[in-house]
Amino acid sequence: MIDIKFIRENPEFVQKAAKDKGIDVDIIHILEINAKYKELSLSVQKLREERNKTSKEQNVEKGREIKEKLEKEEHALKAVEEELHNWLLKVPNPAKQDVKFGKDESENEVIKKYKGPQKFDFQPKDHLDLGEQLDIIDIKRAAKVSGTRFAYLKNEGVLLEFALVQLAFEILVKEGFTPIVPPVLISKESMQGLGYMENGGEEDMFQIPADNLFLVGTAEHALVPMHKDEVFAKKDLPKRYVGFSSAFRREAGSYGKDTRGILRVHQFDKVEMVSFVKPEDDEKE
């Protein structure tokens, strides 16, 4: 969630950044709600001070009047605070300055190319054909057990995955990353704070309503909020983490895309890097 102070100081920038992402959000309206929130906060604070003063004076009648007024103001403040919170959740994080605007992936700019697709003198087989012949991928039995977009990894496929995970950890630990196996279930509050749930993002997530929990779509979802409600001293930065976890995605809206084999599956494993750094070190990191 973007700090309201940043929005107040950069309203046009935030408005344009949202528009460039195809998201319609009224920044002026958000600032109006924030002004109302600040006004009510000040009013509640004054009434509480007046209530405390009246209590010391033991003025029962005046105390009753202040109590009634304070309850109304506190109720209004809570409603405005909730409205402001909901609006702020709709504001997307601005893209980096060097990200160019495009209506869809067809307008993506090719930065560079490395070689080209390899040409064979035979008809190559795709990963599923090879995986089934080598007995390292089984999607037919996974479909019986779990449905479409699931797979069993078997034999050398399993050993290869964990060898790659181990290799990534060995490299990154030497670079100062702390290895983490995070929880794969996180609270709705944590997922909302990450900014993934608004503007249609929630439809791509698996959730457990009875417990108000969401399955992570990447280890990042559990690594970033590790330090929520904490403030870093600059001297303690950077903090670097490398996490390994299973990831779960509905792949809503991707039906018909990459449905063969183990692409765009609902469950897969992933190594993820997360670094907390000073703003001025962002590019270097």
Side-chain angles (χ1 to χ4, degrees):
M1 182 188 296
I2 300 179
D3 191 335
I4 185 64
K5 183 175 182 292
F6 181 85
I7 296 176
R8 283 200 308 268
E9 295 173 351
N10 307 274
E12 293 180 359
F13 169 76
V14 176
Q15 184 75 72
K16 183 179 183 301
K19 185 178 179 181
D20 287 348
K21 283 192 169 186
I23 296 171
D24 184 22
V25 59
D26 190 342
I27 298 300
I28 299 301
H29 183 58
I30 290 175
L31 295 178
E32 289 172 350
I33 298 172
N34 181 61
K36 181 64 176 176
Y37 171 74
K38 292 172 68 176
E39 179 186 331
L40 284 169
S41 296
L42 184 60
S43 175
V44 166
Q45 181 182 347
K46 289 182 177 179
L47 283 169
R48 286 171 178 169
E49 291 173 356
E50 191 175 351
R51 176 194 59 186
N52 294 338
K53 181 181 178 181
T54 303
S55 177
K56 291 179 181 179
E57 295 173 350
Q58 296 183 344
N59 189 329
V60 178
E61 186 61 32
K62 186 177 180 182
R64 186 182 297 113
E65 291 177 4
I66 293 173
K67 180 182 177 182
E68 291 176 356
K69 189 174 182 180
L70 177 59
E71 287 177 349
K72 290 180 181 179
E73 292 286 275
E74 286 177 332
H75 180 75
L77 177 63
K78 184 177 180 181
V80 172
E81 182 179 24
E82 185 175 345
E83 183 182 7
L84 177 61
H85 179 76
N86 290 336
W87 271 97
L88 288 174
L89 287 173
K90 297 177 182 180
V91 182
N93 288 322
K96 292 183 66 177
Q97 295 287 350
D98 58 351
V99 176
K100 296 184 178 180
F101 171 76
K103 63 181 181 181
D104 54 40
E105 62 184 20
S106 67
E107 295 187 352
N108 287 349
E109 180 182 355
V110 177
I111 303 298
K112 68 177 180 178
K113 293 183 178 181
Y114 179 75
K115 295 185 176 182
Q118 187 171 350
K119 295 182 179 180
F120 300 95
D121 56 3
F122 58 88
Q123 182 62 39
K125 296 179 179 179
D126 69 15
H127 75 280
L128 181 57
D129 289 333
L130 290 171
E132 289 179 336
Q133 288 182 16
L134 294 171
D135 197 26
I136 61 175
I137 299 174
D138 189 338
I139 63 170
K140 293 176 182 176
R141 290 187 175 90
K144 289 194 302 182
V145 174
S146 303
T148 59
R149 294 184 184 262
F150 287 95
Y152 283 105
L153 279 185
K154 301 169 61 180
N155 299 315
E156 289 85 354
V158 176
L159 301 180
L160 176 60
E161 174 176 312
F162 282 99
L164 289 171
V165 170
Q166 182 64 27
L167 176 63
F169 270 62
E170 287 178 359
I171 292 172
L172 291 168
V173 166
K174 290 177 183 177
E175 295 294 327
F177 285 78
T178 300
I180 300 282
V181 176
V184 296
L185 286 166
I186 65 174
S187 69
K188 183 175 182 179
E189 178 189 10
S190 295
M191 191 66 85
Q192 280 183 322
L194 289 165
Y196 289 102
M197 291 186 64
E198 300 302 324
N199 306 303
E202 186 172 355
E203 68 178 9
D204 207 33
M205 301 173 182
F206 286 103
Q207 55 183 297
I208 304 174
D211 299 292
N212 205 29
L213 293 171
F214 285 75
L215 283 160
V216 298
T218 163
E220 174 190 329
H221 290 167
L223 290 175
V224 172
M226 244 174 78
H227 292 290
K228 72 173 186 173
D229 302 324
E230 298 177 32
V231 177
F232 292 133
K234 279 193 173 184
K235 65 181 179 62
D236 295 328
L237 297 176
K239 286 185 180 292
R240 299 187 176 96
Y241 299 103
V242 52
F244 168 77
S245 78
S246 291
F248 305 88
R249 301 183 185 182
R250 287 189 181 278
E251 290 297 346
S254 66
Y255 296 103
K257 294 182 180 179
D258 301 329
T259 54
R260 179 173 167 79
I262 55 173
L263 299 172
R264 294 187 186 272
V265 289
H266 290 313
Q267 176 187 336
F268 57 96
D269 296 327
K270 190 166 181 274
V271 172
E272 186 79 28
M273 294 178 287
V274 168
S275 294
F276 296 90
V277 301
K278 292 176 285 188
E280 57 268 28
D281 294 338
D282 180 55
E283 289 292 333
K284 182 175 68 174
E285 188 71 17

